[in-house]
Amino acid sequence: MTAVAELRRHPVKSMLGEDLAAAELTAAGVRGDRRWAVVDRETGRIASAKNPRLWRGLLKMAATADGDAVAITLPDGKPVHSFDPDVDRRLSEVLGRPVELVREVPAGATLERAVPEQVLAAGVAARTAVEEVPLAGGTFVDFAPVHLITTSTLAAIGAASPRGAVEAARYRPNLVIRTAGSGFVENDWVGRELAVGSEAVLRVLVCTPRCAIPTLEHGGLPRDADALRVPAERNRVVPVPELGPRPCAGVYAEVVRPGRVERGDAVRLLG
């Protein structure tokens, strides 16, 4: 049965997230997802591990939603909270740059996305070409409020990797969908609607172009260049015409009808 295998939320952009048993899907996505971000005080840009030379350290911190606030576990295991008076100082010390934790999206907010193939070739600490990317719709999401990936896609990437597996967490999805097919099955969902559980309906918009983030260390997960190299070799898709072919894994979706979703809920293609 096609069903929700995992539900995930990332309260702070580019930090590790949390597994959920259930969640509310709103027009803005999973409630509490990507509601906070770190801003580089020198440039005004949103800090994102899409530029790993500067910001891969974000993936060594974990964030947990706490109502309208957020709790963060630093790399040394110590906690810091969004309402702590020294939160910005402590994050700046970890990241090695002056930063500020924010909940409101700055006007004209952008982030830098390193060209992923250059990161693969030159390494995460190298200076590479970057693209300046505007954020979508006054939120901290990159393109759409919900990101999905299937177990079929994860199995296809894992089967072509030397380790024989790849972790869903590397791709930072909100929903991992258990599927029976083989290969990158969600490619065929673009333009269609999905019913998730008894209430929520999503519309799949585009395949998700991958950046360098899946290759990076994620907490205790080591670097894995094949998490990007395999999609680059086996699933180059044109997500939108102006981008051209990109390595893709997963799909972006918008919320057509909000509702509660739970791990194990059935997922059905409509129409």
Side-chain angles (χ1 to χ4, degrees), residues 253-267:
E254 63 183 353
V255 179
V256 175
R257 188 171 71 207
R260 180 178 172 83
V261 296
E262 298 183 4
R263 195 183 309 135
D265 275 350
V267 178

Side-chain angles (χ1 to χ4, degrees), residues 104-134:
E104 298 297 324
V105 182
T110 64
L111 58 82
E112 289 183 331
R113 178 185 187 272
V115 176
E117 289 84 357
Q118 292 186 19
V119 175
L120 279 179
V124 296
R127 288 184 179 273
T128 63
V130 295
E131 305 165 324
E132 189 146 0
V133 180

Side-chain angles (χ1 to χ4, degrees), residues 179-267:
T179 45
S182 61
F184 298 84
V185 299
E186 62 267 45
N187 288 5
D188 295 331
W189 297 355
V190 174
R192 303 183 67 181
E193 291 186 355
L194 293 173
V196 184
S198 61
E199 299 177 356
V201 175
L202 304 175
R203 180 179 294 114
V204 179
L205 300 175
V206 296
C207 294
T208 306
R210 304 314 324 189
C211 60
I213 286 179
T215 72
L216 304 178
E217 293 180 23
H218 283 62
L221 296 179
R223 286 199 63 210
D224 185 356
D226 293 291
L228 175 61
R229 185 172 289 119
V230 173
E233 293 173 350
R234 299 180 178 234
N235 196 47
R236 295 188 73 86
V237 177
V238 179
V240 292
E242 55 267 30
L243 288 182
R246 298 288 179 103
C248 290
V251 288
Y252 281 127
E254 63 183 353
V255 179
V256 175
R257 188 171 71 207
R260 180 178 172 83
V261 296
E262 298 183 4
R263 195 183 309 135
D265 275 350
V267 178

Side-chain angles (χ1 to χ4, degrees), residues 166-179:
V166 72
E167 298 83 3
R170 294 184 180 277
Y171 299 97
R172 303 178 63 77
N174 298 117
L175 287 84
V176 178
I177 308 299
R178 184 182 300 111
T179 45

Side-chain angles (χ1 to χ4, degrees), residues 4 8 37 48 73 77 79-82 89 101 116 213 236 242 261 271:
V4 177
R8 299 184 62 80
S48 168
T73 302
V80 65
H81 204 282
S82 53
R89 177 186 62 79
L101 182 67
I213 286 179
R236 295 188 73 86
E242 55 267 30
V261 296

Side-chain angles (χ1 to χ4, degrees), residues 8-12 15-19 61-64 172:
R8 299 184 62 80
R9 172 171 64 192
H10 305 87
V12 180
M15 290 188 187
L16 302 179
E18 52 188 338
D19 291 312
M61 294 182 270
T64 303
R172 303 178 63 77

